[in-house]
Amino acid sequence: MTIEGPATYWDLLWAGGTRYRPLDENELAALKQHAGPGAGRTALDVGSGDGALARHVAQLGYATTGIDCSTAAISLATENSTAVGVTFREADIEGPEPLPVTEGSVHLVTARLVYAFIADKPAFLGRMRRLLVPDGLLWVATPMADRLPDRAWVGISADDEDLLTVGWSAVDITDIDYMRCYALRP
């Protein structure tokens, strides 16, 4: 689903009290298995929302920056954050503005519940590849449209999945009910 004016769209939902699928132990264990300990390496959480995943990544030892295009989400993430090693910034991953990290410097990029809503998926994936260090990891966790027939618009199609997984040196997939997690290496 493509959203016109994503910052306004997400601001209204976050400010209105909408919350999304909470992190679960299976998802966190899969991420930890693929990402490993941070040991001070850098991480970027794209579409960080309330900041739960960014805080978890920081607890793994990564110097983490969470970004979201929604001012309301960043306010919520900042209010809820007592974690060491995590900062939150308002930034639109699809916008032309520079991100708060430099290309080729990020060891782990996470994008949870984000990929289905990206308008230009090829551009997004290109940007993710440019952000990563050569042995970095892109972690994408997303619902699968065919597993949510009543809400297929929040998930990705088989074509979206093909686009997501092509061109990586390693692709590992973990299924968790209607979610699929992708560990992608350049």
Side-chain angles (χ1 to χ4, degrees), residues 28-60:
L28 296 176
L31 172 60
K32 183 177 181 180
Q33 174 189 349
H34 290 287
R41 296 180 299 161
T42 58
L44 177 68
D45 182 33
V46 175
S48 60
D50 66 6
L53 182 56
R55 287 189 297 277
H56 176 76
V57 169
Q59 289 172 349
L60 293 176

Side-chain angles (χ1 to χ4, degrees), residues 26-175:
N26 294 324
E27 187 180 341
L28 296 176
L31 172 60
K32 183 177 181 180
Q33 174 189 349
H34 290 287
R41 296 180 299 161
T42 58
L44 177 68
D45 182 33
V46 175
S48 60
D50 66 6
L53 182 56
R55 287 189 297 277
H56 176 76
V57 169
Q59 289 172 349
L60 293 176
Y62 287 86
T64 306
T65 301
I67 63 168
D68 204 294
C69 65
S70 165
T71 303
I74 293 299
S75 293
L76 182 62
T78 303
E79 289 169 14
N80 291 333
S81 186
T82 58
V84 174
V86 64
T87 58
F88 296 98
R89 301 281 183 266
E90 186 176 340
D92 184 353
I93 194 64
E94 294 188 276
E97 302 84 18
L99 296 175
V101 294
T102 57
E103 289 188 2
S105 70
V106 183
H107 296 87
L108 170 63
V109 176
T110 57
R112 182 178 188 271
L113 306 178
V114 171
Y115 185 67
F117 302 102
I118 297 294
D120 187 344
K121 289 174 176 54
F124 170 80
L125 292 169
R127 195 170 200 186
M128 297 303 95
R129 282 184 173 95
R130 290 189 304 276
L131 289 173
L132 289 170
V133 299
D135 63 342
L137 174 69
L138 172 60
W139 177 262
V140 176
T142 185
M144 300 303 291
D146 63 350
R147 297 179 189 172
L148 292 169
D150 59 330
R151 295 182 306 139
W153 62 273
V154 303
I156 66 168
S157 68
D159 289 342
D160 292 334
E161 181 179 39
D162 288 345
L163 180 63
L164 174 62
T165 57
V166 71
W168 298 93
S169 68
V171 176
D172 289 308
I173 295 173
T174 304
D175 284 316

Side-chain angles (χ1 to χ4, degrees), residues 2 5 14 19 39 73 100 130 151 158 179:
T2 301
W14 282 109
R19 298 299 178 263
R130 290 189 304 276
R151 295 182 306 139
M179 296 278 288

